[in-house]
Amino acid sequence: VYNVCSGVDLAVQDLADQLLAQATVPLRFEIDPDLLRPVDVPVIRGSHDRITAATGWEPEISISQTLTDLLDDWRQRVAAES
């Protein structure tokens, strides 16, 4: 099992903010208090050391670019279905 990750921690709120910033329609996220965990680990950070040692792979693409590419892909898929 390998972690394919940057090794940099990022808050879910930061991811949500980046997605909202790229939205082409008005959106907002709402927190459902019933779904919040009673206790949460403040930071969970993956390490790519094992996959790097085994394959030489290194993270090169930023999370911002990854989100942009993902959104663009889904926008193209939705447009193709219309």
Side-chain angles (χ1 to χ4, degrees), residues 2-8 45-52 57:
Y2 296 103
N3 283 321
V4 179
C5 61
S6 67
V8 176
R45 182 180 306 116
S47 170
H48 61 84
D49 292 345
R50 187 167 179 223
I51 195 168
T52 299
W57 179 88

Side-chain angles (χ1 to χ4, degrees), residues 3-81:
N3 283 321
V4 179
C5 61
S6 67
V8 176
D9 54 290
L10 183 64
V12 172
Q13 184 65 54
D14 293 338
L15 287 174
D17 291 344
Q18 287 186 45
L19 289 170
L20 285 172
Q22 295 187 48
T24 57
V25 295
L27 296 172
R28 73 174 195 277
F29 290 123
E30 293 182 9
I31 296 172
D32 183 342
D34 293 336
L35 297 177
L36 293 176
R37 298 178 188 152
V39 176
D40 207 352
V41 178
V43 176
I44 299 174
R45 182 180 306 116
S47 170
H48 61 84
D49 292 345
R50 187 167 179 223
I51 195 168
T52 299
T55 68
W57 179 88
E58 292 279 345
E60 297 176 0
I61 302 172
S62 70
I63 191 66
S64 179
Q65 186 61 54
T66 299
L67 293 174
T68 297
D69 293 346
L70 182 66
L71 285 171
D72 288 346
D73 179 68
W74 276 105
R75 286 175 177 138
Q76 288 174 10
R77 290 177 192 224
V78 169
E81 290 180 6

